[in-house]
């Protein structure tokens, strides 16, 4: 699956680009690696070509273009653009991709999509992650040195006129992704859909933060292990990785946007806001919201609402009608929860206490002793029903196991008999090893369970159906008892916490 990445550079030292492509660099610091004599070390393998540079080097051609058109004179100007096409590691073995073939594809891609720009095209056999992915670097000077033919994907005159700067807009990137997909399809290489985005988007900066953080954590863990202490954490997580994991855990269960936002705040202290139809998330301890777009498409409003709707449709048939549990606000504030959490918790507690009173009135259990007695009755009924269900499940499993062994015995008995009269028993055994093993396993099972006469499969199947029917009846009793028991336990806990909070308030007023 080929991918396309774009990097805009403001570095005015164009020779640094070529140096990066042909010399070895440290993956984390970006500095050149030197040999024992202090000289830069060439990469083990690369192919490099230039386009639109005339008789000059890439760096000289770019500098001459800047001087000719009077552009790229400020520090903040974008001096060059780099596009990296990374091919699937499987392409080399499965589809015959070589560095030479990749270089030809890169040259073709550059000629068709960046005409008029000085360019340097370089192919490397592997990435810094050593996955074996052949990839092509296409670096272009930002200024077009000649007017080119207008093409449908071009938006404004700057896209074809001489002396204008290249602009990597959303429409341009969409066009280039389509070109990469068609390039791979034409070359018979693996490819994925580059237009629909990623459910979890990891930026270049976050990728390197993760790599550096994991390297540091590995060193710390090695030191702890050497000292005889167990590591506390093995995998490093960036802030965005933690945020993705926490949002996903809530998104998997929530059935409405209100529940989604409430659970994020309650469980992780994450605030959610909507602005201009887009969602943003504020993790605990931060002051700046993180846009959904920067962490992945699955966290955008449209996909979040679709997931919540799907959850609601999936759970509406069997989700217990639970009441909310009161939150111990003072305890949470002592743990470091903020003002936003306190506001949410007060509203949540009012709703939960209202649900609690309605439930206790409907059940006629406003008396504490009556509530305790009903909880005891339900707890007994729950465990008794569960024990019967487990017993029936075990009997059903034994029934099914016996039927399987009978089927194996009847099916493979002729092979066992042929083995007795085979001219070459060892060869026959090897040829039918799996079938004979199943037969012997069945015979051993009958012997271990003292079964001398095999029961009728039809009779066993009828017995299995009867057990399943009986299990269904007891399972309904178990489920009803469990649902009511959980609600009443939540109600009892809410009442106890409510009066404890009331006592705290009265004590504080005194």
């Amino acid at each position: 699956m080929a991918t396309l990445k774009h990097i805009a550079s403001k570095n005015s030292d164009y020779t640094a680009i070529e140096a990066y492509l042909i010399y070895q660099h440290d993956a984390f610091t970006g500095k050149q690696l030197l040999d024992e004599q202090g000289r830069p070390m060439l990469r083990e393998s690369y192919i490099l070509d230039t386009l639109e540079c005339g008789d000059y080097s890439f760096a000289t051609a770019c500098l001459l273009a800047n001087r000719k058109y009077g552009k790229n004179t400020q520090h903040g100007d974008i001096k060059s653009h780099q596009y990296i096409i990374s091919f699937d590691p499987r392409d080399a073995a499965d589809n015959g991709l070589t560095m030479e073939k990749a270089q030809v594809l890169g040259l073709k891609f550059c000629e068709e999509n960046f005409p008029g720009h000085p360019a340097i095209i370089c192919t490397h056999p592997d990435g810094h992650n050593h996955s074996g992915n052949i990839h092509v670097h296409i670096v272009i000077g930002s200024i077009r040195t000649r007017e080119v033919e207008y093409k449908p994907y071009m938006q404004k005159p700057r896209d074809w006129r001489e002396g204008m700067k290249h602009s990597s807009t959303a429409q341009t990137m969409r066009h280039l992704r389509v070109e990469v997909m068609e390039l791979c399809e034409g070359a018979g290489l693996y490819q994925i859909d580059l237009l629909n985005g990623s459910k979890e988007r990891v930026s270049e900066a976050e990728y390197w933060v993760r790599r550096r953080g994991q390297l540091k954590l590995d060193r710390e863990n090695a030191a702890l292990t050497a000292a005889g202490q167990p590591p506390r954490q093995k995998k490093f997580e960036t802030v965005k990785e933690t945020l993705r994991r926490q949002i996903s855990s809530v998104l998997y269960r929530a059935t409405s946007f209100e529940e989604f936002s409430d659970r994020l705040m309650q469980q992780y202290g994450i605030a959610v806001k909507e602005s201009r139809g887009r969602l943003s998330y504020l993790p605990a301890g931060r002051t700046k919201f993180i846009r959904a777009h920067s962490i992945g498409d699955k966290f955008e409003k449209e996909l979040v609402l679709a997931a919540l709707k799907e959850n609601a449709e999936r759970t509406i048939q069997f989700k217990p009608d639970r009441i909310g549990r009161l939150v111990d606000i003072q305890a949470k504030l002592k743990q470091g929860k903020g003002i936003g959490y306190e506001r949410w918790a007060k509203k949540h507690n009012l709703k939960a206490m209202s649900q609690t009173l309605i439930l206790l009135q409907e059940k006629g259990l406003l008396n504490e002793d009556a509530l305790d007695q009903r909880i005891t009755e339900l707890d007994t009924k729950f465990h008794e029903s569960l024990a019967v269900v487990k017993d029936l499940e075990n009997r059903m499993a034994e029934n099914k196991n016996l039927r399987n062994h009978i089927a194996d015995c009847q099916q493979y008995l002729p092979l066992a008999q042929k083995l007795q009269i085979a001219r070459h028993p060892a060869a026959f055994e090897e040829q039918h090893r799996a079938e004979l093993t199943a037969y012997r396993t069945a015979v051993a099972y009958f012997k271990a369970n003292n079964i001398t006469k095999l029961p009728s499969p039809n009779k066993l199947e009828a017995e299995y159906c009867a057990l399943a029917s009986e299990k269904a009846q007891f399972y309904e009793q178990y489920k009803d008892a469990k649902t009511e028991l959980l609600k009443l336990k939540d109600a009892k806990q809410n009442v106890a916490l409510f009066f404890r909070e009331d006592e705290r308030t009265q004590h504080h007023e005194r």
Side-chain angles (χ1 to χ4, degrees):
M1 54 178 186
T3 60
L4 178 69
K5 180 166 65 175
H6 168 252
I7 303 172
S9 173
K10 298 178 181 178
N11 187 359
S12 60
D13 182 5
Y14 292 98
T15 59
I17 298 171
E18 186 170 355
Y20 174 80
L21 295 176
I22 66 176
Y23 292 112
Q24 297 184 38
H25 285 69
D26 184 273
F28 294 101
T29 64
K31 294 182 179 179
Q32 283 188 5
L33 298 180
L34 306 178
D35 60 15
E36 295 177 353
Q37 285 75 37
R39 295 172 300 187
M41 300 169 59
L42 285 171
R43 292 181 181 269
E44 294 180 4
S45 181
Y46 68 88
I47 301 175
L48 186 143
D49 291 293
T50 59
L51 290 174
E52 305 272 357
C53 294
D55 297 329
Y56 303 103
S57 67
F58 171 73
T60 302
C62 291
L63 289 172
L64 289 174
N66 292 345
R67 183 180 300 175
K68 178 179 179 180
Y69 300 105
K71 295 186 176 180
N72 289 335
T73 58
Q74 302 299 317
H75 174 75
D77 292 338
I78 294 177
K79 314 298 191 306
S80 64
H81 293 266
Q82 180 176 183
Y83 293 89
I84 306 173
I85 304 175
S86 297
F87 297 98
D88 193 302
R90 298 172 297 170
D91 279 326
D94 296 355
N95 301 316
L97 181 67
T98 61
M99 287 180 60
E100 290 75 15
K101 185 176 179 180
Q103 181 73 357
V104 171
L105 293 175
L107 286 166
K108 177 183 177 183
F109 185 86
C110 184
E111 289 174 347
E112 293 180 353
N113 295 285
F114 309 114
H117 290 272
I120 185 169
I121 300 91
C122 183
T123 297
H124 293 153
D126 196 4
H128 52 73
N129 55 359
H130 304 297
S131 64
N133 60 312
I134 297 174
H135 59 280
V136 182
H137 296 261
I138 300 173
V139 186
I140 64 170
S142 61
I143 300 176
R144 186 177 298 101
T145 57
R146 62 182 175 86
E147 186 164 328
V148 300
E149 179 186 355
Y150 170 79
K151 294 185 179 181
Y153 70 86
M154 296 177 176
Q155 300 170 268
K156 297 181 179 180
R158 68 184 179 197
D159 294 327
W160 64 83
R161 284 185 178 174
E162 178 183 350
M164 304 300 285
K165 295 187 66 172
H166 174 75
S167 179
S168 184
T169 63
Q171 184 172 333
T172 302
M173 286 303 298
R174 179 179 178 84
H175 161 74
L176 294 176
R177 291 188 181 104
V178 171
E179 288 289 297
V180 169
M181 293 164 63
E182 292 181 351
L183 184 77
C184 291
E185 184 178 353
L189 305 177
Y190 289 114
Q191 187 50 41
I192 58 172
D193 184 359
L194 297 177
L195 300 180
N196 292 322
S198 169
K199 290 187 176 181
E200 294 188 2
R201 185 175 293 105
V202 179
S203 67
E204 179 83 2
E206 184 186 354
Y207 171 81
W208 285 109
V209 168
R210 181 198 294 171
R211 287 285 303 272
R212 294 186 184 99
Q214 187 63 52
L215 182 64
K216 181 180 178 182
L217 182 62
D218 289 342
R219 290 171 179 166
E220 293 174 352
N221 287 342
L224 289 173
T225 303
Q229 302 177 19
R232 292 183 293 273
Q233 178 186 352
K234 293 185 177 180
K235 182 180 178 182
F236 176 81
E237 276 191 340
T238 64
V239 172
K240 289 185 178 180
E241 280 182 304
T242 303
L243 182 60
R244 291 187 193 100
R245 175 173 52 79
Q246 292 173 342
I247 297 174
S248 296
S249 68
V250 172
L251 186 58
Y252 178 74
R253 297 177 177 83
T255 57
S256 67
F257 190 78
E258 182 182 5
E259 182 184 0
F260 173 65
S261 57
D262 284 355
R263 282 195 175 194
L264 280 178
M265 177 59 74
Q266 181 183 14
Q267 293 177 216
Y268 303 111
I270 299 173
V272 187
K273 76 172 183 179
E274 179 184 354
S275 177
R276 298 180 181 177
R278 294 184 175 273
L279 297 182
S280 298
Y281 303 89
L282 181 66
R286 283 179 61 100
T287 57
K288 187 177 180 180
F289 277 84
I290 297 176
R291 293 178 300 168
H293 176 75
S294 68
I295 57 176
D297 292 347
K298 67 179 285 187
F299 307 110
E300 291 274 24
K301 180 182 177 181
E302 183 177 349
L303 291 183
V304 165
L305 294 179
L308 296 174
K309 182 180 179 182
E310 184 179 341
N311 292 346
E313 292 173 351
R314 184 176 65 246
T315 60
I316 194 169
Q317 299 295 330
F318 54 88
K319 184 178 178 182
D321 184 19
R322 297 286 297 274
I323 62 173
R325 291 185 180 182
L326 262 67
V327 177
D328 190 338
I329 298 176
Q330 297 304 318
K332 294 294 184 181
L333 292 178
K334 289 179 181 178
Q335 294 174 8
K337 298 291 186 181
I339 298 175
Y341 182 89
E342 183 180 8
R343 285 198 216 99
W344 169 84
K346 287 179 178 179
K347 290 166 62 177
H348 170 81
N349 282 357
L350 285 173
K351 184 190 296 184
M353 200 59 205
S354 175
Q355 293 173 337
T356 300
L357 291 174
I358 291 172
L359 173 67
L360 295 178
Q361 286 176 342
E362 289 177 350
K363 301 289 184 181
L365 299 174
L366 293 174
N367 181 276
E368 184 177 359
D369 292 336
L371 177 59
D372 289 340
Q373 182 180 350
R374 180 57 180 164
I375 289 176
T376 303
E377 292 173 358
L378 288 170
D379 191 61
T380 302
K381 184 178 179 181
F382 164 74
H383 285 96
E384 289 177 350
S385 301
L386 179 59
V388 174
V389 168
K390 292 294 183 184
D391 178 63
L392 290 170
E393 286 178 345
N394 290 335
R395 290 165 62 185
M396 289 169 66
E398 292 171 2
N399 179 292
K400 186 176 181 180
N401 196 26
L402 177 57
R403 281 188 291 147
N404 290 337
H405 284 309
I406 291 175
D408 288 343
C409 181
Q410 293 175 342
Q411 183 177 357
Y412 302 128
L413 175 59
L415 281 177
Q417 292 172 341
K418 287 181 181 180
L419 177 64
Q420 302 300 322
I421 58 175
R423 296 181 63 181
H424 304 286
F428 189 88
E429 174 88 24
E430 184 64 28
Q431 184 180 358
H432 302 285
R433 181 179 298 277
E435 295 87 345
L436 292 171
T437 300
Y439 171 78
R440 290 166 183 158
T441 302
V443 172
Y445 176 83
F446 300 146
K447 185 176 180 180
N449 290 276
N450 297 319
I451 300 174
T452 55
K453 183 179 179 181
L454 299 183
S456 166
N458 292 335
K459 183 178 179 181
L460 287 174
E461 188 172 355
E463 180 183 336
Y464 184 90
C465 291
L467 291 171
S469 177
E470 188 177 359
K471 176 198 166 185
Q473 295 176 9
F474 277 95
Y475 184 77
E476 284 299 320
Q477 295 179 20
Y478 154 79
K479 188 170 69 172
D480 292 343
K482 179 182 178 181
T483 300
E484 187 176 354
L485 178 64
L486 290 175
K487 289 198 291 186
L488 292 182
K489 282 186 173 181
D490 287 345
K492 181 178 179 179
Q493 181 179 337
N494 286 350
V495 171
L497 182 57
F498 175 80
F499 283 112
R500 188 160 67 245
E501 286 289 334
D502 190 48
E503 289 176 1
R504 284 179 186 171
T505 303
Q506 292 179 5
H507 178 75
H508 181 71
E509 290 176 350
R510 291 173 187 170

